[in-house]
Amino acid sequence: MVITLTLRAADNPGSDWPRFLGPHANGISDETGLLDKWPTNGPPVVWEKAIGTGYGAVSVMGDRLVFHHRIGDEEVVECLDVATGKSRWRFAYPSHFEDPYGYNNGPRSTPVLTSNLVTPSARKGS
């Protein structure tokens, strides 16, 4: 898997997306002035980062981008700097979950962010 950050207008950094389905938990953004169609070559890429497996979405608050993924036998919650993609911190712990269908061993959660905490959203099986 890869996280790719695309460039937004510098004078409009966008609003926070601190949990699954966004600020209102309904999948609807309050952003305005969004493009109806991407440019032919897509938006400019600011940075990319290869990450482990999982089914969670990223959460963004201010200059923090936080996600939950799995590398080998560890689940990792990691925070990246939005502007650079560099790791600010990471928390890893052992995971022995095995998907009974053999598809993906997770995790399956999206971090919920507050001004000073990261908490896992509800998750099943991992």
Side-chain angles (χ1 to χ4, degrees):
M1 294 178 76
V2 173
I3 291 178
T4 302
L5 184 69
T6 56
L7 185 61
R8 293 187 45 98
D11 59 344
N12 182 12
S15 64
D16 293 336
W17 197 268
R19 62 182 174 191
F20 182 66
L21 295 177
H24 308 293
N26 61 3
I28 298 173
S29 173
D30 293 331
E31 296 296 321
T32 60
L34 299 174
L35 297 176
D36 291 328
K37 183 178 174 185
W38 289 117
T40 304
N41 294 330
V45 174
V46 176
W47 54 262
E48 290 184 343
K49 178 176 180 68
I51 64 170
T53 61
Y55 281 107
V58 301
S59 294
V60 178
M61 181 174 276
D63 60 354
R64 301 176 295 159
L65 181 149
V66 181
F67 60 102
H68 190 187
H69 60 130
R70 181 171 175 162
I71 300 173
D73 288 335
E74 287 188 321
E75 288 191 24
V76 180
V77 180
E78 189 165 359
C79 177
L80 306 180
D81 182 274
V82 168
T84 65
K86 298 212 183 301
S87 183
R88 296 176 88 179
W89 55 260
R90 81 191 291 272
F91 176 76
Y93 54 92
S95 177
H96 305 291
F97 172 74
E98 291 186 26
D99 180 9
Y101 306 105
Y103 187 67
N104 185 298
N105 293 333
R108 292 167 170 77
S109 71
T110 299
V112 175
L113 307 179
T114 67
S115 62
N116 62 342
L117 295 173
V118 175
T119 60
S121 62
R123 59 187 189 156
K124 295 181 180 177
S126 65

Coordinates of all heavy atoms in Angstrom, one line a residue, residues 6-68:
T6 N -1.6 14.8 -2.3 CA -1.6 15.6 -3.5 C -1.7 17.1 -3.0 O -2.1 17.4 -1.9 CB -2.8 15.3 -4.4 OG1 -4.0 15.4 -3.7 CG2 -2.6 13.9 -5.0
L7 N -1.2 18.0 -3.8 CA -1.1 19.4 -3.5 C -2.4 20.1 -3.6 O -3.1 19.9 -4.5 CB -0.1 20.1 -4.5 CG 0.3 21.5 -4.2 CD1 0.9 21.6 -2.8 CD2 1.2 22.0 -5.3
R8 N -2.7 20.8 -2.5 CA -3.9 21.7 -2.5 C -3.4 23.1 -2.7 O -2.2 23.4 -2.5 CB -4.6 21.6 -1.2 CG -5.3 20.2 -1.0 CD -6.1 20.2 0.2 NE -6.9 21.4 0.3 CZ -8.2 21.5 -0.1 NH1 -8.8 20.5 -0.5 NH2 -8.9 22.7 0.0
A9 N -4.2 24.1 -2.9 CA -3.8 25.5 -3.0 C -3.2 25.9 -1.7 O -3.7 25.6 -0.6 CB -5.0 26.3 -3.3
A10 N -2.0 26.5 -1.8 CA -1.3 26.9 -0.6 C -2.1 27.9 0.3 O -1.9 27.8 1.5 CB 0.0 27.6 -1.0
D11 N -2.9 28.7 -0.2 CA -3.7 29.6 0.6 C -4.9 29.0 1.2 O -5.6 29.6 2.0 CB -4.0 30.9 -0.2 CG -4.9 30.6 -1.4 OD1 -4.9 29.4 -1.8 OD2 -5.5 31.5 -2.0
N12 N -5.2 27.7 0.9 CA -6.4 27.0 1.4 C -6.0 25.6 1.8 O -6.1 24.7 1.1 CB -7.5 27.0 0.4 CG -8.8 26.3 0.9 OD1 -8.9 26.1 2.1 ND2 -9.7 26.0 0.0
P13 N -5.5 25.5 3.1 CA -5.0 24.2 3.5 C -6.0 23.1 3.7 O -5.7 22.0 3.8 CB -4.3 24.5 4.8 CG -5.0 25.7 5.3 CD -5.4 26.5 4.1
G14 N -7.3 23.5 3.7 CA -8.4 22.5 3.9 C -8.7 22.3 5.3 O -8.0 22.8 6.2
S15 N -9.8 21.6 5.6 CA -10.3 21.4 6.9 C -9.8 20.1 7.4 O -9.4 19.2 6.7 CB -11.8 21.5 7.0 OG -12.4 20.5 6.3
D16 N -9.9 19.9 8.7 CA -9.5 18.6 9.3 C -10.4 17.5 9.0 O -11.6 17.7 8.7 CB -9.4 18.7 10.9 CG -8.4 19.7 11.4 OD1 -7.4 19.9 10.6 OD2 -8.5 20.2 12.5
W17 N -9.9 16.3 8.9 CA -10.7 15.1 8.7 C -10.3 14.1 9.7 O -9.5 13.2 9.5 CB -10.4 14.6 7.3 CG -11.3 13.6 6.7 CD1 -11.3 12.2 6.8 CD2 -12.5 13.9 5.9 NE1 -12.3 11.6 6.2 CE2 -13.1 12.6 5.6 CE3 -13.1 15.0 5.5 CZ2 -14.3 12.5 4.9 CZ3 -14.3 14.9 4.8 CH2 -14.9 13.7 4.4
P18 N -10.7 14.3 11.0 CA -10.1 13.7 12.2 C -10.6 12.3 12.5 O -10.2 11.7 13.5 CB -10.5 14.6 13.3 CG -11.8 15.2 12.9 CD -11.7 15.4 11.4
R19 N -11.5 11.7 11.6 CA -12.1 10.4 11.9 C -12.7 9.8 10.6 O -12.8 10.5 9.6 CB -13.1 10.4 13.0 CG -14.3 11.3 12.6 CD -15.3 11.4 13.7 NE -16.3 12.3 13.4 CZ -17.2 12.7 14.2 NH1 -17.2 12.3 15.4 NH2 -18.1 13.6 13.8
F20 N -13.0 8.5 10.7 CA -13.7 7.8 9.6 C -14.9 8.6 9.2 O -15.7 9.1 10.0 CB -14.1 6.4 10.0 CG -14.7 5.6 8.9 CD1 -14.0 5.3 7.8 CD2 -16.0 5.2 9.1 CE1 -14.5 4.5 6.8 CE2 -16.6 4.5 8.0 CZ -15.8 4.1 6.9
L21 N -15.1 8.8 7.9 CA -16.2 9.6 7.3 C -16.2 11.1 7.6 O -17.1 11.8 7.3 CB -17.5 9.0 7.6 CG -17.8 7.6 7.1 CD1 -19.1 7.1 7.6 CD2 -17.7 7.5 5.6
G22 N -15.0 11.6 8.1 CA -14.8 13.0 8.2 C -15.4 13.7 9.4 O -15.8 13.1 10.4
P23 N -15.4 15.0 9.4 CA -15.7 15.8 10.5 C -17.1 15.6 11.0 O -17.4 15.8 12.2 CB -15.5 17.3 10.1 CG -15.4 17.3 8.6 CD -15.0 15.9 8.2
H24 N -18.0 15.3 10.2 CA -19.4 15.1 10.6 C -19.8 13.6 10.6 O -21.0 13.3 10.7 CB -20.4 15.9 9.7 CG -20.0 17.3 9.5 ND1 -20.0 18.2 10.6 CD2 -19.4 18.0 8.5 CE1 -19.6 19.4 10.2 NE2 -19.2 19.3 8.9
A25 N -18.9 12.7 10.3 CA -19.1 11.3 10.3 C -20.1 10.9 9.3 O -20.9 9.9 9.4 CB -19.5 10.7 11.7
N26 N -20.2 11.6 8.2 CA -21.2 11.3 7.1 C -20.6 11.2 5.7 O -21.3 11.1 4.7 CB -22.3 12.3 7.1 CG -21.9 13.7 6.8 OD1 -20.7 14.0 6.6 ND2 -22.8 14.7 6.9
G27 N -19.2 11.3 5.6 CA -18.6 11.3 4.4 C -18.7 12.5 3.5 O -18.3 12.5 2.3
I28 N -19.2 13.6 4.1 CA -19.4 14.8 3.3 C -18.4 15.9 3.8 O -18.3 16.2 4.9 CB -20.9 15.3 3.4 CG1 -21.8 14.3 2.9 CG2 -21.0 16.7 2.7 CD1 -23.3 14.6 3.1
S29 N -17.7 16.5 2.8 CA -16.7 17.5 3.1 C -17.4 18.9 3.1 O -18.3 19.1 2.3 CB -15.6 17.5 2.1 OG -14.7 18.6 2.2
D30 N -16.9 19.8 4.0 CA -17.4 21.2 4.0 C -16.6 22.0 3.0 O -16.8 23.2 2.8 CB -17.2 21.8 5.4 CG -18.2 21.2 6.4 OD1 -19.3 20.7 6.0 OD2 -17.8 21.1 7.6
E31 N -15.6 21.4 2.3 CA -14.7 22.2 1.4 C -15.5 22.8 0.3 O -16.5 22.2 -0.2 CB -13.6 21.2 0.8 CG -12.7 20.7 1.9 CD -11.8 21.8 2.6 OE1 -11.4 22.7 1.9 OE2 -11.6 21.7 3.8
T32 N -15.0 23.9 -0.2 CA -15.6 24.5 -1.4 C -14.6 24.8 -2.4 O -13.4 24.7 -2.1 CB -16.3 25.9 -1.0 OG1 -15.2 26.7 -0.4 CG2 -17.4 25.7 0.0
G33 N -15.0 25.0 -3.6 CA -14.0 25.3 -4.7 C -13.2 24.1 -5.2 O -12.2 24.2 -5.7
L34 N -13.8 22.9 -4.9 CA -13.1 21.7 -5.4 C -13.3 21.5 -6.9 O -14.3 22.0 -7.5 CB -13.7 20.5 -4.6 CG -13.6 20.5 -3.1 CD1 -14.4 19.3 -2.5 CD2 -12.2 20.4 -2.7
L35 N -12.3 20.8 -7.5 CA -12.4 20.6 -8.9 C -13.5 19.6 -9.2 O -13.7 18.6 -8.5 CB -11.1 20.0 -9.4 CG -9.8 20.9 -9.2 CD1 -8.6 20.2 -9.7 CD2 -10.0 22.2 -10.0
D36 N -14.2 19.8 -10.3 CA -15.2 18.8 -10.8 C -14.5 17.7 -11.6 O -15.0 16.6 -11.7 CB -16.2 19.5 -11.8 CG -17.1 20.4 -11.0 OD1 -17.4 20.2 -9.9 OD2 -17.5 21.4 -11.7
K37 N -13.2 18.0 -12.1 CA -12.5 17.0 -12.9 C -11.0 17.2 -12.6 O -10.5 18.4 -12.5 CB -12.8 17.3 -14.4 CG -12.2 16.4 -15.3 CD -12.6 16.7 -16.8 CE -11.9 15.8 -17.8 NZ -12.1 16.2 -19.1
W38 N -10.3 16.1 -12.5 CA -8.8 16.2 -12.3 C -8.1 16.6 -13.6 O -8.6 16.3 -14.7 CB -8.3 14.8 -11.9 CG -8.6 14.4 -10.5 CD1 -9.3 13.3 -10.2 CD2 -8.2 15.0 -9.3 NE1 -9.4 13.1 -8.8 CE2 -8.8 14.2 -8.3 CE3 -7.5 16.1 -8.9 CZ2 -8.6 14.5 -6.9 CZ3 -7.4 16.4 -7.6 CH2 -7.9 15.6 -6.6
P39 N -7.0 17.3 -13.5 CA -6.2 17.6 -14.7 C -5.8 16.2 -15.3 O -5.8 15.2 -14.7 CB -5.0 18.3 -14.2 CG -5.3 18.8 -12.8 CD -6.4 17.9 -12.3
T40 N -5.5 16.2 -16.6 CA -5.1 15.0 -17.4 C -4.1 14.2 -16.6 O -4.3 13.0 -16.6 CB -4.6 15.4 -18.8 OG1 -5.6 16.2 -19.4 CG2 -4.4 14.2 -19.6
N41 N -3.1 14.8 -16.1 CA -2.0 14.0 -15.4 C -2.3 13.9 -13.9 O -1.4 13.4 -13.2 CB -0.6 14.7 -15.6 CG -0.2 14.6 -17.1 OD1 -0.6 13.7 -17.8 ND2 0.5 15.6 -17.5
G42 N -3.4 14.3 -13.5 CA -3.8 14.2 -12.0 C -3.2 15.4 -11.3 O -2.5 16.2 -11.9
P43 N -3.5 15.5 -10.0 CA -3.0 16.6 -9.2 C -1.5 16.4 -8.9 O -1.0 15.2 -8.9 CB -3.8 16.5 -7.9 CG -4.2 15.1 -7.8 CD -4.4 14.6 -9.3
P44 N -0.7 17.4 -8.7 CA 0.7 17.2 -8.3 C 0.9 16.4 -7.1 O 0.1 16.6 -6.1 CB 1.2 18.6 -8.1 CG 0.2 19.6 -8.7 CD -1.1 18.8 -8.7
V45 N 1.8 15.5 -7.0 CA 2.1 14.7 -5.9 C 3.1 15.4 -5.0 O 4.2 15.9 -5.4 CB 2.7 13.3 -6.3 CG1 3.1 12.5 -5.0 CG2 1.7 12.5 -7.1
V46 N 2.8 15.6 -3.7 CA 3.7 16.3 -2.7 C 4.7 15.2 -2.2 O 5.8 15.5 -2.1 CB 2.8 16.9 -1.6 CG1 3.8 17.5 -0.5 CG2 1.9 18.0 -2.2
W47 N 4.2 14.1 -1.8 CA 5.0 13.0 -1.3 C 4.2 11.7 -1.3 O 3.0 11.7 -1.4 CB 5.6 13.3 0.1 CG 4.5 13.6 1.2 CD1 4.2 14.8 1.6 CD2 3.7 12.7 2.0 NE1 3.2 14.7 2.6 CE2 2.9 13.4 2.8 CE3 3.6 11.3 2.0 CZ2 2.0 12.9 3.7 CZ3 2.7 10.7 2.9 CH2 1.9 11.5 3.7
E48 N 5.0 10.6 -1.3 CA 4.4 9.2 -1.2 C 5.1 8.5 -0.1 O 6.3 8.7 0.1 CB 4.5 8.5 -2.5 CG 3.7 9.0 -3.6 CD 3.8 8.1 -4.9 OE1 4.8 7.4 -5.0 OE2 2.9 8.3 -5.7
K49 N 4.5 7.5 0.5 CA 5.1 6.7 1.5 C 4.5 5.3 1.4 O 3.3 5.1 1.5 CB 4.8 7.2 2.9 CG 5.4 6.4 4.0 CD 5.3 7.0 5.4 CE 5.8 6.2 6.5 NZ 7.3 6.1 6.5
A50 N 5.4 4.3 1.3 CA 4.9 2.9 1.3 C 4.5 2.5 2.7 O 5.2 2.9 3.7 CB 6.0 2.0 0.8
I51 N 3.4 1.8 2.9 CA 2.9 1.5 4.2 C 2.5 0.0 4.2 O 2.5 -0.6 3.2 CB 1.8 2.3 4.7 CG1 0.5 2.2 3.8 CG2 2.2 3.8 4.8 CD1 -0.7 2.8 4.4
G52 N 2.2 -0.5 5.4 CA 1.8 -1.9 5.5 C 0.4 -2.1 5.1 O -0.3 -1.3 4.4
T53 N -0.2 -3.3 5.5 CA -1.6 -3.7 5.1 C -2.6 -3.1 6.0 O -2.3 -2.7 7.1 CB -1.7 -5.2 5.0 OG1 -1.5 -5.7 6.3 CG2 -0.7 -5.8 4.0
G54 N -3.9 -3.1 5.6 CA -5.0 -2.7 6.5 C -6.1 -2.1 5.6 O -6.0 -1.9 4.4
Y55 N -7.2 -1.8 6.3 CA -8.4 -1.3 5.7 C -8.8 0.0 6.3 O -9.9 0.5 6.1 CB -9.5 -2.3 5.8 CG -9.4 -3.3 4.7 CD1 -9.1 -4.6 5.1 CD2 -9.6 -3.1 3.4 CE1 -9.0 -5.6 4.2 CE2 -9.5 -4.1 2.5 CZ -9.2 -5.3 2.9 OH -9.1 -6.3 2.0
G56 N -8.0 0.7 7.1 CA -8.4 2.0 7.7 C -8.1 3.1 6.8 O -7.3 3.1 5.9
A57 N -8.8 4.2 7.0 CA -8.5 5.5 6.3 C -7.6 6.3 7.2 O -7.4 6.1 8.4 CB -9.8 6.2 6.1
V58 N -6.9 7.3 6.5 CA -6.1 8.2 7.3 C -7.0 9.2 8.0 O -8.1 9.5 7.5 CB -5.1 9.0 6.4 CG1 -4.2 8.0 5.7 CG2 -5.7 9.9 5.4
S59 N -6.5 9.8 9.1 CA -7.2 10.9 9.7 C -6.2 12.1 9.7 O -5.0 11.9 9.9 CB -7.6 10.6 11.2 OG -8.5 9.6 11.2
V60 N -6.7 13.3 9.5 CA -5.9 14.5 9.5 C -6.4 15.6 10.4 O -7.6 15.8 10.4 CB -5.9 15.1 8.0 CG1 -5.0 16.3 8.0 CG2 -5.4 14.0 7.0
M61 N -5.5 16.1 11.2 CA -5.9 17.3 12.1 C -4.7 18.2 12.1 O -3.6 17.8 12.5 CB -6.2 16.8 13.5 CG -6.6 18.0 14.4 SD -7.2 17.5 16.0 CE -8.9 17.2 15.6
G62 N -4.9 19.4 11.6 CA -3.8 20.4 11.5 C -2.6 19.8 10.7 O -2.9 19.5 9.5
D63 N -1.4 19.7 11.2 CA -0.3 19.3 10.5 C 0.0 17.8 10.7 O 1.1 17.3 10.4 CB 0.9 20.1 10.8 CG 1.3 20.1 12.2 OD1 0.6 19.5 13.0 OD2 2.4 20.6 12.5
R64 N -1.0 17.0 11.3 CA -0.8 15.6 11.6 C -1.6 14.7 10.7 O -2.8 15.0 10.5 CB -1.1 15.3 13.0 CG -0.3 16.1 14.1 CD -0.8 15.8 15.5 NE -2.2 16.3 15.6 CZ -3.0 15.8 16.5 NH1 -2.7 14.9 17.4 NH2 -4.3 16.4 16.6
L65 N -1.0 13.7 10.1 CA -1.8 12.7 9.4 C -1.5 11.4 10.1 O -0.3 11.0 10.2 CB -1.3 12.6 7.9 CG -1.9 11.6 7.0 CD1 -1.9 12.2 5.6 CD2 -1.3 10.3 7.0
V66 N -2.5 10.7 10.6 CA -2.4 9.5 11.4 C -3.1 8.4 10.7 O -4.2 8.5 10.2 CB -2.9 9.7 12.8 CG1 -2.7 8.5 13.7 CG2 -2.3 10.9 13.5
F67 N -2.4 7.2 10.7 CA -3.1 6.0 10.1 C -2.6 4.8 10.9 O -1.7 4.8 11.7 CB -2.7 5.9 8.7 CG -1.2 5.8 8.4 CD1 -0.6 4.5 8.1 CD2 -0.4 6.9 8.4 CE1 0.7 4.4 7.9 CE2 1.0 6.8 8.2 CZ 1.5 5.5 7.9
H68 N -3.4 3.7 10.7 CA -3.2 2.4 11.4 C -2.9 1.4 10.3 O -3.7 1.2 9.4 CB -4.5 2.1 12.2 CG -4.4 1.0 13.1 ND1 -5.5 0.5 13.8 CD2 -3.4 0.2 13.6 CE1 -5.2 -0.5 14.6 NE2 -3.9 -0.7 14.5

